[in-house]
PDB file of all heavy atoms in Angstrom:
ATOM      1  N   PHE A  13     148.315-202.602 -84.139  1.00 44.00           N
ATOM      2  CA  PHE A  13     147.262-201.993 -83.323  1.00 44.00           C
ATOM      3  C   PHE A  13     146.349-201.118 -84.169  1.00 44.00           C
ATOM      4  O   PHE A  13     145.125-201.151 -84.069  1.00 44.00           O
ATOM      5  CB  PHE A  13     147.890-201.185 -82.193  1.00 44.00           C
ATOM      6  CG  PHE A  13     146.895-200.468 -81.323  1.00 44.00           C
ATOM      7  CD1 PHE A  13     146.151-201.165 -80.396  1.00 44.00           C
ATOM      8  CD2 PHE A  13     146.696-199.111 -81.449  1.00 44.00           C
ATOM      9  CE1 PHE A  13     145.228-200.530 -79.591  1.00 44.00           C
ATOM     10  CE2 PHE A  13     145.773-198.457 -80.635  1.00 44.00           C
ATOM     11  CZ  PHE A  13     145.044-199.165 -79.721  1.00 44.00           C
ATOM     12  N   TYR A  14     146.948-200.334 -85.039  1.00 45.00           N
ATOM     13  CA  TYR A  14     146.170-199.489 -85.960  1.00 45.00           C
ATOM     14  C   TYR A  14     145.275-200.350 -86.842  1.00 45.00           C
ATOM     15  O   TYR A  14     144.069-200.120 -86.963  1.00 45.00           O
ATOM     16  CB  TYR A  14     147.116-198.695 -86.863  1.00 45.00           C
ATOM     17  CG  TYR A  14     147.489-197.345 -86.322  1.00 45.00           C
ATOM     18  CD1 TYR A  14     148.693-197.184 -85.622  1.00 45.00           C
ATOM     19  CD2 TYR A  14     146.704-196.236 -86.517  1.00 45.00           C
ATOM     20  CE1 TYR A  14     149.064-195.949 -85.145  1.00 45.00           C
ATOM     21  CE2 TYR A  14     147.062-194.992 -86.036  1.00 45.00           C
ATOM     22  CZ  TYR A  14     148.249-194.854 -85.351  1.00 45.00           C
ATOM     23  OH  TYR A  14     148.615-193.628 -84.889  1.00 45.00           O
ATOM     24  N   MET A  15     145.880-201.375 -87.476  1.00 45.00           N
ATOM     25  CA  MET A  15     145.125-202.202 -88.417  1.00 45.00           C
ATOM     26  C   MET A  15     144.050-202.983 -87.710  1.00 45.00           C
ATOM     27  O   MET A  15     142.929-203.140 -88.220  1.00 45.00           O
ATOM     28  CB  MET A  15     146.093-203.143 -89.143  1.00 45.00           C
ATOM     29  CG  MET A  15     147.059-202.406 -90.071  1.00 45.00           C
ATOM     30  SD  MET A  15     148.139-203.542 -90.977  1.00 45.00           S
ATOM     31  CE  MET A  15     149.015-202.392 -92.024  1.00 45.00           C
ATOM     32  N   PHE A  16     144.318-203.474 -86.502  1.00 44.00           N
ATOM     33  CA  PHE A  16     143.304-204.213 -85.746  1.00 44.00           C
ATOM     34  C   PHE A  16     142.127-203.305 -85.395  1.00 44.00           C
ATOM     35  O   PHE A  16     140.981-203.718 -85.481  1.00 44.00           O
ATOM     36  CB  PHE A  16     143.938-204.786 -84.480  1.00 44.00           C
ATOM     37  CG  PHE A  16     142.933-205.484 -83.602  1.00 44.00           C
ATOM     38  CD1 PHE A  16     142.489-206.759 -83.886  1.00 44.00           C
ATOM     39  CD2 PHE A  16     142.435-204.851 -82.463  1.00 44.00           C
ATOM     40  CE1 PHE A  16     141.556-207.397 -83.077  1.00 44.00           C
ATOM     41  CE2 PHE A  16     141.520-205.477 -81.649  1.00 44.00           C
ATOM     42  CZ  PHE A  16     141.076-206.746 -81.954  1.00 44.00           C
ATOM     43  N   ALA A  17     142.434-202.086 -85.021  1.00 45.00           N
ATOM     44  CA  ALA A  17     141.355-201.140 -84.669  1.00 45.00           C
ATOM     45  C   ALA A  17     140.464-200.872 -85.868  1.00 45.00           C
ATOM     46  O   ALA A  17     139.241-200.855 -85.771  1.00 45.00           O
ATOM     47  CB  ALA A  17     141.959-199.841 -84.131  1.00 45.00           C
ATOM     48  N   VAL A  18     141.104-200.643 -87.021  1.00 44.00           N
ATOM     49  CA  VAL A  18     140.309-200.344 -88.218  1.00 44.00           C
ATOM     50  C   VAL A  18     139.506-201.556 -88.657  1.00 44.00           C
ATOM     51  O   VAL A  18     138.320-201.480 -88.986  1.00 44.00           O
ATOM     52  CB  VAL A  18     141.238-199.864 -89.347  1.00 44.00           C
ATOM     53  CG1 VAL A  18     140.456-199.687 -90.647  1.00 44.00           C
ATOM     54  CG2 VAL A  18     141.904-198.548 -88.953  1.00 44.00           C
ATOM     55  N   ASN A  19     140.152-202.736 -88.652  1.00 46.00           N
ATOM     56  CA  ASN A  19     139.441-203.950 -89.072  1.00 46.00           C
ATOM     57  C   ASN A  19     138.309-204.289 -88.112  1.00 46.00           C
ATOM     58  O   ASN A  19     137.215-204.697 -88.517  1.00 46.00           O
ATOM     59  CB  ASN A  19     140.410-205.132 -89.151  1.00 46.00           C
ATOM     60  CG  ASN A  19     141.391-204.973 -90.306  1.00 46.00           C
ATOM     61  OD1 ASN A  19     141.051-204.325 -91.304  1.00 46.00           O
ATOM     62  ND2 ASN A  19     142.570-205.558 -90.177  1.00 46.00           N
ATOM     63  N   ALA A  20     138.549-204.101 -86.803  1.00 43.00           N
ATOM     64  CA  ALA A  20     137.493-204.379 -85.839  1.00 43.00           C
ATOM     65  C   ALA A  20     136.319-203.446 -86.064  1.00 43.00           C
ATOM     66  O   ALA A  20     135.157-203.854 -85.958  1.00 43.00           O
ATOM     67  CB  ALA A  20     138.042-204.214 -84.421  1.00 43.00           C
ATOM     68  N   GLY A  21     136.607-202.189 -86.393  1.00 43.00           N
ATOM     69  CA  GLY A  21     135.503-201.256 -86.661  1.00 43.00           C
ATOM     70  C   GLY A  21     134.760-201.637 -87.907  1.00 43.00           C
ATOM     71  O   GLY A  21     133.540-201.442 -88.009  1.00 43.00           O
ATOM     72  N   ALA A  22     135.471-202.205 -88.912  1.00 43.00           N
ATOM     73  CA  ALA A  22     134.794-202.572 -90.152  1.00 43.00           C
ATOM     74  C   ALA A  22     133.995-203.853 -90.005  1.00 43.00           C
ATOM     75  O   ALA A  22     132.929-203.993 -90.575  1.00 43.00           O
ATOM     76  CB  ALA A  22     135.854-202.746 -91.255  1.00 43.00           C
ATOM     77  N   GLU A  23     134.503-204.789 -89.190  1.00 43.00           N
ATOM     78  CA  GLU A  23     133.816-206.061 -89.064  1.00 43.00           C
ATOM     79  C   GLU A  23     132.702-206.018 -88.044  1.00 43.00           C
ATOM     80  O   GLU A  23     131.811-206.840 -88.059  1.00 43.00           O
ATOM     81  CB  GLU A  23     134.850-207.129 -88.641  1.00 43.00           C
ATOM     82  CG  GLU A  23     135.883-207.409 -89.743  1.00 43.00           C
ATOM     83  CD  GLU A  23     136.957-208.357 -89.247  1.00 43.00           C
ATOM     84  OE1 GLU A  23     136.853-208.789 -88.066  1.00 43.00           O
ATOM     85  OE2 GLU A  23     137.897-208.665 -89.989  1.00 43.00           O
ATOM     86  N   GLU A  24     132.737-205.056 -87.130  1.00 44.00           N
ATOM     87  CA  GLU A  24     131.712-204.980 -86.095  1.00 44.00           C
ATOM     88  C   GLU A  24     131.077-203.588 -86.123  1.00 44.00           C
ATOM     89  O   GLU A  24     131.319-202.747 -85.273  1.00 44.00           O
ATOM     90  CB  GLU A  24     132.315-205.247 -84.712  1.00 44.00           C
ATOM     91  CG  GLU A  24     132.908-206.651 -84.594  1.00 44.00           C
ATOM     92  CD  GLU A  24     133.457-206.878 -83.195  1.00 44.00           C
ATOM     93  OE1 GLU A  24     133.230-206.029 -82.324  1.00 44.00           O
ATOM     94  OE2 GLU A  24     134.113-207.887 -82.983  1.00 44.00           O
TER      95      GLU A  24
END
Side-chain angles (χ1 to χ4, degrees):
F13 178 75
Y14 270 96
M15 294 182 175
F16 176 78
V18 174
N19 291 332
E23 293 174 2
E24 298 181 9

